[in-house]
């Protein structure tokens, strides 16, 4: 069987998990108050409208998003890059500027890494982060009755992805979220102030449905999504593309928002504090007893981008 047949998520759950000493596969590893994160992608993954600076910025944001979503602060950053020797020095410099500017924005520091040569079209960038945990909670902590809060409405990248697939020009402001994404750098402070009321948390850059299913699987519970949390301009554009919002959920991803799974009666207080830091949070669902992923009580399968299969 090939990886394209098995798929990324099944590879992780059926192969990688068996080889590890721990069973929970979270996006961030935590031990003794320190968090560790590794992330990466091929440079060919960039879009035609993205320049080297954009790619450098985004590579850090993608890794940082997982760290801050787990209630942690990024400190030291290391990178490994593989570059085509025929690449212009100015482009390589712009890539590094994007990496350093993004790291500085999130309060971290680039402390080292590795450079390699690569064939044309086969370059890569990997990012490793060591950070300080302020409120790290494993995915397995989600409990029946918990409320699921999303940091902001989403859908900008969904419109961009669907437009590309259909060969339709997309309004420019939808592309900004892909070119220069920004993670919620103040989220760890909110989580630290309310840690006793937070069961768990996760970034949603893999797609909302995939992230919700990770919470359900790790906790042995279920998740009932009660709304499709799209922005109004996203809904308008999906209508123009003749796409219904529910079917469009599978095309999510690369939106660096987070889910907080909140226990008890402090939901409104936590959402108010999030709003004070510039977020526009909303309740998107509940943790329920029966296992699996549901939309308005109806069972559904998690779907989204798979690095081995594509849109799955």
């Amino acid at each position: 069987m090939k990886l394209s047949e098995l798929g990324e998520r099944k590879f992780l759950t059926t192969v990688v998990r068996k080889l590890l000493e721990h069973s929970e596969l979270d996006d961030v590893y935590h031990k003794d108050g320190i968090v560790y994160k590794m992330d990466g992608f091929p440079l060919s993954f960039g879009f035609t409208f993205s320049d080297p600076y954009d790619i450098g910025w985004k590579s850090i944001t993608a890794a940082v998003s997982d760290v801050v979503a787990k209630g942690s602060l990024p400190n030291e950053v290391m990178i490994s890059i593989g570059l085509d020797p025929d690449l212009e020095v100015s482009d390589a410099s712009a890539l590094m500027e994007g990496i350093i500017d993004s790291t500085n924005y999130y309060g971290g520091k680039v402390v080292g890494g590795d450079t390699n040569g690569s064939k044309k079209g086969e370059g890569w960038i990997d990012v490793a982060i060591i950070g300080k945990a302020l409120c790290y909670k494993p995915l397995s902590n989600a409990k029946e009755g918990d409320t699921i809060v999303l940091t902001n409405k989403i859908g900008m990248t969904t419109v961009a992805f669907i437009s590309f697939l259909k060969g339709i020009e997309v309004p420019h402001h939808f592309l900004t979220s892909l070119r220069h994404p920004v993670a919620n750098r103040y989220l760890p402070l909110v989580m630290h102030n309310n840690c006793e009321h937070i069961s768990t948390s996760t970034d949603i850059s893999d797609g909302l449905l995939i992230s919700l299913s990770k919470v359900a699987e790790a906790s042995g519970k279920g998740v009932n999504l009660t709304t499709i949390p799209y922005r109004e301009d996203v809904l308008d554009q999906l209508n123009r593309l003749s796409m219904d919002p529910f079917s469009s959920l599978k095309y999510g991803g690369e939106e660096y928002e987070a889910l907080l799974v909140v226990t008890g009666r402090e939901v409104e207080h936590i959402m108010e504090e999030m709003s004070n830091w510039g977020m526009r949070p909303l309740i998107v669902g509940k943790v329920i007893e029966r296992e699996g992923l549901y939309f308005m009580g109806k069972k559904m399968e998690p779907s989204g981008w798979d690095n081995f299969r594509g849109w799955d």
Side-chain angles (χ1 to χ4, degrees):
M1 176 180 287
K2 297 181 179 180
L3 288 174
S4 59
E5 298 171 310
L6 181 63
E8 179 186 10
R9 291 184 289 280
K10 286 188 177 179
F11 173 70
L12 291 173
T13 56
T14 63
V15 178
V16 175
R17 179 175 288 167
K18 290 181 179 179
L19 299 173
L20 297 176
E21 295 180 356
H22 54 91
S23 60
E24 184 165 321
L25 296 176
D26 207 341
D27 292 322
V28 176
Y29 179 69
H30 170 263
K31 185 176 182 180
D32 299 330
I34 304 297
V35 294
Y36 305 85
K37 170 63 185 176
M38 173 67 75
D39 199 34
F41 55 81
L43 293 180
S44 59
F45 193 67
F47 294 92
T48 55
F49 53 80
S50 298
D51 60 31
Y53 182 91
D54 295 329
I55 295 172
W57 175 280
K58 187 174 183 176
S59 69
I60 299 298
T61 292
V64 166
S65 182
D66 281 320
V67 173
V68 298
K70 298 303 292 188
S72 304
L73 300 175
N75 290 333
E76 292 81 25
V77 174
M78 300 186 75
I79 59 168
S80 173
I81 52 176
L83 300 176
D84 178 0
D86 289 329
L87 183 70
E88 293 292 335
V89 173
S90 58
D91 287 338
S93 177
L95 178 72
M96 289 303 305
E97 288 176 12
I99 289 170
I100 293 171
D101 285 352
S102 187
T103 300
N104 290 341
Y105 175 80
Y106 296 113
K109 181 179 181 180
V110 177
V111 296
D114 186 38
T115 54
N116 297 272
S118 72
K119 295 180 180 180
K120 186 174 182 179
E122 296 182 4
W124 71 87
I125 180 166
D126 293 319
V127 178
I129 296 178
I130 299 175
K132 178 181 179 181
L134 300 183
C135 180
Y136 179 95
K137 299 291 184 72
L139 293 176
S140 56
N141 272 20
K143 301 183 291 294
E144 180 185 355
D146 284 350
T147 300
I148 303 173
V149 177
L150 179 64
T151 48
N152 285 289
K153 288 187 176 182
I154 58 174
M156 297 288 280
T157 61
T158 297
V159 168
F161 292 147
I162 293 174
S163 297
F164 280 124
L165 290 172
K166 287 178 170 284
I168 299 173
E169 185 175 351
V170 61
H172 181 75
H173 75 281
F174 285 96
L175 303 180
T176 302
S177 58
L178 284 173
R179 284 194 62 181
H180 199 83
V182 179
N184 297 296
R185 59 178 174 172
Y186 299 119
L187 182 61
L189 303 181
V190 176
M191 296 176 66
H192 176 66
N193 292 339
N194 301 278
C195 197
E196 63 182 301
H197 304 294
I198 296 173
S199 293
T200 190
S201 58
T202 184
D203 152 276
I204 66 160
S205 60
D206 289 335
L208 178 63
L209 297 182
I210 292 174
S211 298
L212 289 171
S213 68
K214 286 181 179 179
V215 173
E217 180 183 346
S219 64
K221 301 296 181 182
V223 167
N224 185 35
L225 180 65
T226 55
T227 186
I228 299 176
Y230 284 156
R231 296 162 44 121
E232 289 301 319
D233 55 346
V234 168
L235 292 172
D236 290 341
Q237 192 66 22
L238 288 175
N239 184 55
R240 295 189 182 97
L241 293 169
S242 300
M243 292 289 296
D244 73 273
F246 181 78
S247 299
S248 302
L249 283 171
K250 71 172 289 184
Y251 298 104
E254 292 196 43
E255 286 188 285
Y256 300 104
E257 301 295 341
L259 294 170
L260 300 189
V261 181
V262 182
T263 189
R265 301 179 179 179
E266 297 299 315
V267 177
E268 290 187 8
H269 170 76
I270 292 174
M271 291 176 66
E272 181 179 356
E273 189 168 342
M274 293 167 72
S275 297
N276 292 339
W277 284 104
M279 293 167 253
R280 296 294 179 264
L282 66 157
I283 295 172
V284 297
K286 285 276 191 179
V287 178
I288 59 177
E289 181 180 7
R290 63 185 185 277
E291 295 183 11
L293 179 62
Y294 300 82
F295 177 66
M296 301 294 288
K298 184 178 180 180
K299 186 74 178 290
M300 63 183 302
E301 293 299 321
S303 57
W305 177 260
D306 186 297
N307 283 318
F308 299 151
R309 296 168 62 96
W311 295 111
D312 189 16

